Amino acid sequence: MDITLVEESPFRFRIERRGAMRVPGTVFATRALLPEAAGDQALEQVANVATLPGVVRASFAMPDVHWGYGFPIGGLAATDVEAGGVVSPGGVGFDISCGVRLLAAGIDRDALEPRLRELMDVLGDTIPRGTGPGGLWRLSGRPQMEEVLAGGAGYAVEQGHGVPRDLTFCEDYGALEEADPSQVGARAVERGLRQVGSLGSGNHFLEVQAVDRVHDEKAAAAFGLRPGGVCVMIHCGSRGLGHQVCTDHVRVMDRSLRRFGISLPDRQLACAPVVSPEGRAYLGAMAAAANYGRANRQLLTEAVRRAFTSAAGVEVDLVYDVSHNMAKTETHEVDGVPRRLCVHRKGATRALPPGHPDLPGELSGAGQPVLIPGTMGTASYVLVGEPGNDAFLSTCHGAGRVWSRHQALRRVRGEELRGRLESEGVAVRPSSWRGLAEETPEAYKDVDAVAAATEGAGLARLVARLVPLGVVKG
DNA sequence: ATGTAC
């Protein structure tokens, strides 16, 4: 499909409705941030998503948009549940509930400096990472797995892995109630039993960071962030379990497309009506996998606390935990009428404004922290949701790739990259040289520009910029 | 993203 972009306003482009598109496309970006890497078909994907049954308002792309499976990463689409709206696993991604957790440590970067290497050594020795099995919490079998799938971070805390306060600062208080563990297959369970409490690989990481700049003092203070304060950012998902759930349900939906009379421009958009047995089965399994992802981040938090206690003697509090790969049933006004929507966020972060009923009282005045991981050589951001976000209260989720993994491997060597980062003062504890090279900072868009465009487009407001002190790489 | 193909 030929894509024509119309600049509607600064930071906002429109892809005109044409062909089978039911709604236009909306791309939040600057010209410089538009995906133009050779072969990147992200904008075609934005147009493809606009053909899905029941889609409302627009098919959205965030400033970090890039090519993904079916849907672009940095993409968002909402479908009307009562008007034949579909749910598509490709709109969530293979890594269900991939997300970010930010912790604030009771120490400043200057005070931590003499202990940083030791802290990084402890983290490097204790954080399970890389592909394959190995996690901090070995589950006994399917019955205990079902507890994790139903209870998420709440079950982990119940079992002693954390404190009740943690749950207040988790999206959905740490678990989606609509999880249906019975829809998670035997193979997915098998893969997940030995991976709770592990980072995984790819772009996943655990970073010790410092608050480099505060953009909004009031919001930063409400989130427990201060200039120079030390934070820990955890970026990971639901490992092999989520991947298997996606694989299993894509297959089912692919086979049922004809029966539902759905025709698609791309088979990777396989979907089913939200209210169909196939749609409900996927959403139940997806919510269960999402809860697994939350339990995963909860377990990693426990390891971080142990490391900070032993290496620095300080405590660590949860700032927030939010997923950026998820489909949720939410009520939003469309053309002035409240509608139940299935909101697909794939590489897009929910961003609730101050006063939103889904926020805990502790965050109601400030709004929801929006956690944006950047790259290990640059920066990450904390933003806050604001009113008037017409992308169904959603923002970007990271910097967004511009080089493929293959391109990165051709241009960068892991050993060299580690030396460069260490010389810039970032301690690196890699999992593999190859994995490190694939994640080289130049493989990503400029995260400062992405954050600025996100604010410029009115999607969220900047609160703080975080810089890496040490990275444990998945 | 992923026991980086069944």
Side-chain angles (χ1 to χ4, degrees):
Chain A
M1 203 180 316
D2 218 20
I3 299 297
T4 309
L5 282 173
V6 179
E7 192 161 6
E8 277 187 347
S9 58
F11 308 106
R12 188 172 179 127
F13 295 82
R14 184 175 68 250
I15 300 174
E16 298 288 8
R17 199 164 74 84
R18 50 175 290 182
M21 289 170 69
R22 296 167 194 258
V23 292
T26 295
V27 182
F28 299 105
T30 58
R31 290 263 175 214
L33 288 170
L34 289 171
E36 55 188 6
D40 191 315
Q41 295 176 42
L43 297 184
E44 284 83 347
Q45 293 187 316
V46 174
N48 289 344
V49 169
T51 69
L52 290 175
V55 65
V56 295
R57 194 171 294 169
S59 165
F60 291 96
M62 298 297 159
D64 53 339
V65 67
H66 58 111
W67 198 8
Y69 176 88
F71 284 57
I73 295 160
L76 180 128
T79 58
D80 189 325
V81 174
E82 275 90 31
V86 294
V87 59
S88 171
V92 171
F94 274 84
D95 193 6
I96 295 166
S97 188
C98 179
V100 183
R101 175 175 286 218
L102 186 68
L103 311 167
I107 190 168
D108 288 347
R109 64 182 298 175
D110 294 341
L112 180 64
E113 174 56 33
R115 318 302 300 273
L116 182 64
R117 290 194 69 83
E118 185 189 340
L119 173 69
M120 293 310 299
D121 287 340
V122 175
L123 289 170
D125 290 344
T126 55
I127 300 294
R129 56 196 188 278
T131 54
L136 296 162
W137 192 14
R138 173 82 184 259
L139 303 179
S140 55
R142 174 134 200 155
Q144 192 181 24
M145 174 62 86
E146 295 208 357
E147 300 281 354
V148 172
L149 296 174
Y155 177 66
V157 168
E158 215 175 275
Q159 295 298 302
H161 306 294
V163 294
R165 181 195 176 277
D166 294 343
L167 304 175
T168 303
F169 296 93
C170 290
E171 179 186 16
D172 310 312
Y173 301 96
L176 283 162
E177 283 176 13
E178 53 270 37
D180 184 355
S182 74
Q183 297 297 341
V184 176
R187 201 166 169 190
V189 168
E190 190 55 41
R191 289 179 72 173
L193 286 174
R194 288 187 294 166
Q195 294 185 324
V196 190
S198 66
L199 276 182
S201 61
N203 62 357
H204 292 157
F205 65 77
L206 185 153
E207 269 185 22
V208 177
Q209 306 172 329
V211 178
D212 168 58
R213 206 158 61 208
V214 166
H215 296 266
D216 180 333
E217 274 182 38
K218 210 170 153 193
F223 297 165
L225 304 173
R226 60 192 181 282
V230 170
C231 300
V232 177
M233 183 174 276
I234 301 170
H235 177 211
C236 65
S238 53
R239 303 295 330 273
L241 181 139
H243 190 274
Q244 193 66 48
V245 164
C246 182
T247 303
D248 293 347
H249 288 262
V250 163
R251 185 174 299 131
V252 169
M253 288 190 180
D254 186 62
R255 287 175 184 160
S256 62
L257 283 172
R258 190 194 289 263
R259 184 156 36 87
F260 290 119
I262 297 172
S263 66
L264 299 169
D266 177 355
R267 208 170 157 185
Q268 293 184 352
L269 295 173
C271 57
V274 171
V275 298
S276 68
E278 291 83 354
R280 292 160 61 101
Y282 170 69
L283 283 168
M286 185 220 67
N291 290 345
Y292 180 95
R294 278 91 176 264
N296 190 23
R297 291 191 287 274
Q298 184 64 38
L299 264 291
L300 291 165
T301 302
E302 190 180 37
V304 169
R305 285 181 166 140
R306 286 213 189 97
F308 270 77
T309 300
S310 74
V314 298
E315 303 211 336
V316 169
D317 285 328
L318 183 48
V319 175
Y320 204 64
D321 182 304
V322 65
S323 302
H324 48 231
N325 283 7
M326 198 124 80
K328 294 177 97 165
T329 307
E330 300 175 356
T331 300
H332 294 267
E333 272 199 13
V334 180
D335 300 327
V337 183
R339 304 294 304 173
R340 276 185 66 228
L341 305 176
C342 179
V343 182
H344 300 72
R345 295 188 179 89
K346 181 190 195 176
T349 312
R350 186 189 73 164
L352 303 181
H356 193 283
D358 290 349
L359 284 171
E362 290 84 343
L363 290 170
S364 186
Q368 182 211 302
V370 175
L371 310 176
I372 307 302
T375 79
M376 53 195 158
T378 56
S380 295
Y381 275 87
V382 178
L383 291 84
V384 64
E386 65 175 340
N389 178 321
D390 70 346
F392 303 105
L393 304 178
S394 313
T395 73
C396 67
H397 85 303
R401 281 197 92 88
V402 283
W403 291 357
S404 68
R405 296 189 174 280
H406 188 70
Q407 281 175 303
L409 286 179
R410 277 205 316 256
R411 299 174 191 186
V412 176
R413 290 191 57 78
E415 293 90 331
E416 237 168 86
L417 174 58
R418 184 188 190 178
R420 193 172 92 204
L421 291 168
E422 295 272 354
S423 75
E424 288 167 4
V426 182
V428 183
R429 299 293 179 271
S431 163
S432 75
W433 294 125
R434 179 184 165 167
L436 192 69
E438 287 179 351
E439 292 298 313
T440 190
E442 313 90 271
Y444 285 86
K445 296 182 189 181
D446 174 357
V447 70
D448 296 311
V450 169
T454 301
E455 182 174 69
L459 299 171
R461 237 179 38 251
L462 299 182
V463 174
R465 183 178 192 265
L466 312 174
V467 292
L469 303 177
V471 53
V472 179
K473 199 66 200 73

